[in-house]
Amino acid sequence: TLRLGKGNEARGEEVAEVDEVDKVDSAAALGMAAQIGPWGGMSCLPLIDRAVDLRLWHAAERLCDSSIAYFEDSSRDLHQNQEDKEAVHRLISAAMDLHLYRQGDVLATKFYDHGGQSRYIEARYLHACLTIAKVVQKGQYPVLERQVERVDRAVDKVR
């Protein structure tokens, strides 16, 4: 809990205690925002940033899904649509910055047409490198070829 008014406690005044907003409460609120989809009246960017800060990846992904669906349902303002691409880019970048390459690869692939192409090859390549390092340690050499093929297909897709 947060204790408000610490200085007042010394003077004998009451101190209010407020529970911190925890991960469970935030997940519920972010899930509700994704379900309601109020993107005509507010930006999804601060919510996605908050979800990433709390490592609520699924909630952040759902917010991106909701925002994309909102703007695809009808012709909305192009500026708002660019905001969707920024939201997707922020989500993928956050995963990559935290070295969550598999997650970044999944997100970049899923949101490829909605801003994911900005980090698509990088995410696929780094995920493949991480996987190759693991399979070499385990001696599972046939997996190496599949990882190289996945990166090659990603490069071909972008070309």
PDB file of all heavy atoms in Angstrom, residues 140-152:
ATOM      1  N   GLN A 140      20.826 -30.691 -31.953  1.00  0.00           N
ATOM      2  CA  GLN A 140      19.687 -30.924 -32.847  1.00  0.00           C
ATOM      3  C   GLN A 140      19.921 -30.192 -34.170  1.00  0.00           C
ATOM      4  O   GLN A 140      19.221 -29.255 -34.514  1.00  0.00           O
ATOM      5  CB  GLN A 140      18.397 -30.451 -32.180  1.00  0.00           C
ATOM      6  CG  GLN A 140      18.080 -31.178 -30.898  1.00  0.00           C
ATOM      7  CD  GLN A 140      16.918 -30.540 -30.149  1.00  0.00           C
ATOM      8  OE1 GLN A 140      16.654 -29.360 -30.285  1.00  0.00           O
ATOM      9  NE2 GLN A 140      16.246 -31.351 -29.338  1.00  0.00           N
ATOM     10  N   TYR A 141      20.863 -30.676 -34.932  1.00  0.00           N
ATOM     11  CA  TYR A 141      21.310 -29.988 -36.136  1.00  0.00           C
ATOM     12  C   TYR A 141      20.280 -29.890 -37.264  1.00  0.00           C
ATOM     13  O   TYR A 141      20.319 -28.926 -38.023  1.00  0.00           O
ATOM     14  CB  TYR A 141      22.610 -30.619 -36.641  1.00  0.00           C
ATOM     15  CG  TYR A 141      23.700 -30.529 -35.593  1.00  0.00           C
ATOM     16  CD1 TYR A 141      24.154 -31.652 -34.926  1.00  0.00           C
ATOM     17  CD2 TYR A 141      24.238 -29.294 -35.247  1.00  0.00           C
ATOM     18  CE1 TYR A 141      25.130 -31.556 -33.955  1.00  0.00           C
ATOM     19  CE2 TYR A 141      25.210 -29.186 -34.271  1.00  0.00           C
ATOM     20  CZ  TYR A 141      25.658 -30.322 -33.632  1.00  0.00           C
ATOM     21  OH  TYR A 141      26.607 -30.218 -32.664  1.00  0.00           O
ATOM     22  N   PRO A 142      19.340 -30.816 -37.423  1.00  0.00           N
ATOM     23  CA  PRO A 142      18.349 -30.651 -38.503  1.00  0.00           C
ATOM     24  C   PRO A 142      17.502 -29.376 -38.363  1.00  0.00           C
ATOM     25  O   PRO A 142      16.997 -28.854 -39.357  1.00  0.00           O
ATOM     26  CB  PRO A 142      17.473 -31.896 -38.380  1.00  0.00           C
ATOM     27  CG  PRO A 142      18.343 -32.910 -37.726  1.00  0.00           C
ATOM     28  CD  PRO A 142      19.225 -32.120 -36.794  1.00  0.00           C
ATOM     29  N   VAL A 143      17.376 -28.863 -37.158  1.00  0.00           N
ATOM     30  CA  VAL A 143      16.581 -27.647 -36.934  1.00  0.00           C
ATOM     31  C   VAL A 143      17.271 -26.423 -37.546  1.00  0.00           C
ATOM     32  O   VAL A 143      16.618 -25.457 -37.927  1.00  0.00           O
ATOM     33  CB  VAL A 143      16.328 -27.450 -35.421  1.00  0.00           C
ATOM     34  CG1 VAL A 143      15.575 -26.169 -35.147  1.00  0.00           C
ATOM     35  CG2 VAL A 143      15.589 -28.644 -34.850  1.00  0.00           C
ATOM     36  N   LEU A 144      18.588 -26.478 -37.679  1.00  0.00           N
ATOM     37  CA  LEU A 144      19.344 -25.346 -38.233  1.00  0.00           C
ATOM     38  C   LEU A 144      18.833 -24.968 -39.619  1.00  0.00           C
ATOM     39  O   LEU A 144      18.622 -23.782 -39.913  1.00  0.00           O
ATOM     40  CB  LEU A 144      20.833 -25.686 -38.323  1.00  0.00           C
ATOM     41  CG  LEU A 144      21.577 -25.885 -37.019  1.00  0.00           C
ATOM     42  CD1 LEU A 144      22.991 -26.369 -37.280  1.00  0.00           C
ATOM     43  CD2 LEU A 144      21.601 -24.605 -36.232  1.00  0.00           C
ATOM     44  N   GLU A 145      18.651 -25.957 -40.466  1.00  0.00           N
ATOM     45  CA  GLU A 145      18.213 -25.694 -41.838  1.00  0.00           C
ATOM     46  C   GLU A 145      16.837 -25.024 -41.866  1.00  0.00           C
ATOM     47  O   GLU A 145      16.601 -24.098 -42.645  1.00  0.00           O
ATOM     48  CB  GLU A 145      18.186 -26.993 -42.639  1.00  0.00           C
ATOM     49  CG  GLU A 145      17.899 -26.790 -44.106  1.00  0.00           C
ATOM     50  CD  GLU A 145      18.967 -25.963 -44.820  1.00  0.00           C
ATOM     51  OE1 GLU A 145      20.146 -26.040 -44.454  1.00  0.00           O
ATOM     52  OE2 GLU A 145      18.583 -25.216 -45.740  1.00  0.00           O
ATOM     53  N   ARG A 146      15.944 -25.465 -41.010  1.00  0.00           N
ATOM     54  CA  ARG A 146      14.605 -24.855 -40.965  1.00  0.00           C
ATOM     55  C   ARG A 146      14.675 -23.395 -40.555  1.00  0.00           C
ATOM     56  O   ARG A 146      13.933 -22.550 -41.079  1.00  0.00           O
ATOM     57  CB  ARG A 146      13.694 -25.632 -40.010  1.00  0.00           C
ATOM     58  CG  ARG A 146      13.239 -26.951 -40.568  1.00  0.00           C
ATOM     59  CD  ARG A 146      12.127 -27.519 -39.733  1.00  0.00           C
ATOM     60  NE  ARG A 146      12.528 -27.656 -38.341  1.00  0.00           N
ATOM     61  CZ  ARG A 146      12.528 -28.790 -37.653  1.00  0.00           C
ATOM     62  NH1 ARG A 146      12.119 -29.892 -38.224  1.00  0.00           N
ATOM     63  NH2 ARG A 146      12.896 -28.819 -36.403  1.00  0.00           N
ATOM     64  N   GLN A 147      15.554 -23.077 -39.620  1.00  0.00           N
ATOM     65  CA  GLN A 147      15.682 -21.691 -39.174  1.00  0.00           C
ATOM     66  C   GLN A 147      16.229 -20.806 -40.293  1.00  0.00           C
ATOM     67  O   GLN A 147      15.760 -19.685 -40.496  1.00  0.00           O
ATOM     68  CB  GLN A 147      16.577 -21.598 -37.936  1.00  0.00           C
ATOM     69  CG  GLN A 147      15.971 -22.218 -36.709  1.00  0.00           C
ATOM     70  CD  GLN A 147      14.656 -21.565 -36.342  1.00  0.00           C
ATOM     71  OE1 GLN A 147      14.520 -20.348 -36.341  1.00  0.00           O
ATOM     72  NE2 GLN A 147      13.658 -22.381 -36.034  1.00  0.00           N
ATOM     73  N   VAL A 148      17.204 -21.317 -41.028  1.00  0.00           N
ATOM     74  CA  VAL A 148      17.763 -20.570 -42.156  1.00  0.00           C
ATOM     75  C   VAL A 148      16.677 -20.359 -43.215  1.00  0.00           C
ATOM     76  O   VAL A 148      16.544 -19.260 -43.775  1.00  0.00           O
ATOM     77  CB  VAL A 148      18.998 -21.289 -42.739  1.00  0.00           C
ATOM     78  CG1 VAL A 148      19.458 -20.629 -44.028  1.00  0.00           C
ATOM     79  CG2 VAL A 148      20.122 -21.310 -41.707  1.00  0.00           C
ATOM     80  N   GLU A 149      15.879 -21.386 -43.475  1.00  0.00           N
ATOM     81  CA  GLU A 149      14.790 -21.267 -44.454  1.00  0.00           C
ATOM     82  C   GLU A 149      13.758 -20.226 -44.016  1.00  0.00           C
ATOM     83  O   GLU A 149      13.244 -19.469 -44.847  1.00  0.00           O
ATOM     84  CB  GLU A 149      14.109 -22.618 -44.657  1.00  0.00           C
ATOM     85  CG  GLU A 149      14.953 -23.605 -45.424  1.00  0.00           C
ATOM     86  CD  GLU A 149      14.348 -25.004 -45.452  1.00  0.00           C
ATOM     87  OE1 GLU A 149      13.221 -25.192 -44.919  1.00  0.00           O
ATOM     88  OE2 GLU A 149      14.999 -25.904 -45.999  1.00  0.00           O
ATOM     89  N   ARG A 150      13.461 -20.158 -42.718  1.00  0.00           N
ATOM     90  CA  ARG A 150      12.496 -19.168 -42.215  1.00  0.00           C
ATOM     91  C   ARG A 150      13.004 -17.746 -42.470  1.00  0.00           C
ATOM     92  O   ARG A 150      12.244 -16.869 -42.871  1.00  0.00           O
ATOM     93  CB  ARG A 150      12.256 -19.357 -40.710  1.00  0.00           C
ATOM     94  CG  ARG A 150      11.451 -20.578 -40.380  1.00  0.00           C
ATOM     95  CD  ARG A 150      11.151 -20.667 -38.895  1.00  0.00           C
ATOM     96  NE  ARG A 150      10.070 -19.722 -38.605  1.00  0.00           N
ATOM     97  CZ  ARG A 150      10.044 -18.924 -37.553  1.00  0.00           C
ATOM     98  NH1 ARG A 150      11.013 -18.938 -36.665  1.00  0.00           N
ATOM     99  NH2 ARG A 150       9.040 -18.099 -37.353  1.00  0.00           N
ATOM    100  N   VAL A 151      14.291 -17.522 -42.227  1.00  0.00           N
ATOM    101  CA  VAL A 151      14.860 -16.196 -42.465  1.00  0.00           C
ATOM    102  C   VAL A 151      14.852 -15.887 -43.960  1.00  0.00           C
ATOM    103  O   VAL A 151      14.507 -14.773 -44.372  1.00  0.00           O
ATOM    104  CB  VAL A 151      16.288 -16.093 -41.873  1.00  0.00           C
ATOM    105  CG1 VAL A 151      16.938 -14.778 -42.264  1.00  0.00           C
ATOM    106  CG2 VAL A 151      16.245 -16.226 -40.349  1.00  0.00           C
ATOM    107  N   ASP A 152      15.198 -16.872 -44.786  1.00  0.00           N
ATOM    108  CA  ASP A 152      15.178 -16.663 -46.239  1.00  0.00           C
ATOM    109  C   ASP A 152      13.771 -16.310 -46.729  1.00  0.00           C
ATOM    110  O   ASP A 152      13.602 -15.415 -47.572  1.00  0.00           O
ATOM    111  CB  ASP A 152      15.674 -17.913 -46.974  1.00  0.00           C
ATOM    112  CG  ASP A 152      17.184 -18.112 -46.827  1.00  0.00           C
ATOM    113  OD1 ASP A 152      17.880 -17.143 -46.431  1.00  0.00           O
ATOM    114  OD2 ASP A 152      17.658 -19.233 -47.093  1.00  0.00           O
TER     115      ASP A 152
END
